[in-house]
Amino acid sequence: MLQHVLIAAIVAAGFVLVTGPFFIPELHKLKFGQSIREEGPKSHQKKSGTPTMGGIMIILGITLGTLAAAPWTPEVLLAVFIMLGHFVLGFLDDYIKVVKKRNLGLKARQKLAGQILIAVVTMYVATQVLGIGTDIWIPGLDENVSLGALYYPLVLFVLVGTSNAVNLTDGLDGLAAGTVAIAASAFAVVSVLTGHGDLAYLCVAMAAACLAFLRFNAHPAKVFMGDTGSLALGGALAAVGILTHTEILLAVIGFVFVCEALSVIIQVISFQMTGKRVFRMSPIHHHFELGGWSEWKVVTVFWCVGLIASVAGLSLAAH
């Protein structure tokens, strides 16, 4: 297995590293530049025009690495489908933004409809074809609890929540790529511990592709992954969490993503109810930026938090 895992990592990372120097200039020629929102931190305005949709390299690398090394089990194919489904959504969103010059991309209801469709297919295949059941594993107690019909809204929540949370995290150079690489590495171990070793190939390919992408995405970024990458990476992490019955553990290992999403929810609710903001700006990485932290400091601190959360998650998984 180790040999094949290394193949998955080498193919995924190699694809990103080899195609990057050719793909990024093409994005420049096509003028697929990122538009920076005016209400964001002023220091980010200089990033305007930086190529986006670099997630194409990441997701193609992960797909090739996984299919080249992993056994083509229904579980692996379903996880790849979930990732690619969110990839298509993210690609359409980015395409509308940078090519059609519509700043908002897909409308919220259009994106949600796509995510619900992916979730419905996931629930049907997982329960009716794979027969994985409607139970979830409670970390620490090492017990499985059957949710019955409540399992279906949970799957929808996990898929929509995780893909959107990773999308929100993609706001600073290298932040999403680094935190996803850490979380995916942890879930490679979780997959093996829970008897789903075939999913470890996808996780390793994901970590390797994201680490390779940092070659071009670390500060100062030469390319952004865009929604094309962030939605798909979030979908892939959610897929592994669902198929290994570790949805609760996903919230622990993905603590950074949870905080990013919660900061937006809290900010919106607070402003609508009281007219006041809890954070200087949301998502929360901007709060620290406006507090005087450099972009690189925010990113490295968040990476460290993600690493601590992954260690905590693995500790729970091992007991």
Side-chain angles (χ1 to χ4, degrees), residues 185-248:
S185 298
F187 264 104
V189 179
V190 170
S191 297
V192 174
L193 291 176
T194 56
H196 299 269
D198 53 343
L199 293 174
Y201 298 94
L202 171 65
C203 296
V204 169
M206 199 185 331
C210 286
L211 289 175
F213 187 68
L214 287 174
R215 167 70 180 79
F216 313 106
N217 183 240
H219 186 72
K222 299 180 181 66
V223 65
F224 301 137
M225 69 171 65
D227 289 6
T228 304
S230 58
L231 281 177
L233 291 172
L237 286 175
V240 177
I242 291 166
L243 293 172
T244 57
H245 294 287
T246 56
E247 294 90 347
I248 294 177

Side-chain angles (χ1 to χ4, degrees), residues 6-212:
L6 288 175
I7 291 173
I10 291 170
V11 171
F15 181 85
V16 175
L17 292 173
V18 170
T19 58
F22 302 96
F23 186 63
I24 295 171
E26 288 302 314
L27 291 175
H28 269 293
K29 290 179 185 178
L30 294 170
K31 297 182 180 180
F32 282 9
Q34 178 74 45
S35 297
I36 306 299
R37 58 188 182 121
E38 293 183 2
E39 63 271 22
K42 299 302 180 184
S43 61
H44 285 213
Q45 293 305 313
K46 61 185 178 183
K47 299 183 181 185
S48 182
T50 300
T52 187
M53 299 175 76
I56 293 173
M57 294 188 296
I58 301 174
I59 304 308
L60 289 181
I62 295 170
T63 303
L64 290 174
T66 302
L67 297 182
W72 288 21
T73 62
E75 198 171 48
V76 169
L77 295 178
L78 177 57
V80 171
F81 163 78
I82 294 169
M83 179 180 71
L84 293 179
H86 286 88
F87 167 77
V88 171
L89 276 180
F91 178 85
L92 290 174
D93 197 35
D94 283 336
Y95 185 83
I96 292 171
K97 288 176 185 175
V98 301
V99 178
K100 300 298 183 181
K101 306 301 180 185
R102 275 172 40 190
N103 288 337
L104 296 178
L106 286 174
K107 295 178 181 178
R109 65 175 179 272
Q110 293 174 323
K111 188 182 295 185
L112 182 60
Q115 291 172 314
I116 291 174
L117 177 61
I118 295 169
V120 169
V121 173
T122 299
M123 287 184 280
Y124 176 80
V125 175
T127 58
Q128 302 303 315
V129 179
L130 299 182
I132 68 170
T134 58
D135 57 323
I136 62 170
W137 179 65
I138 308 299
L141 299 178
D142 196 23
E143 290 185 5
N144 290 312
V145 176
S146 179
L147 296 182
L150 293 177
Y151 179 74
Y152 301 105
L154 174 67
V155 169
L156 176 62
F157 176 77
V158 170
L159 279 171
V160 174
T162 308
S163 58
N164 286 334
V166 174
N167 182 226
L168 290 170
T169 305
D170 184 33
L172 299 179
D173 296 353
L175 179 56
T179 47
V180 168
I182 293 168
S185 298
F187 264 104
V189 179
V190 170
S191 297
V192 174
L193 291 176
T194 56
H196 299 269
D198 53 343
L199 293 174
Y201 298 94
L202 171 65
C203 296
V204 169
M206 199 185 331
C210 286
L211 289 175

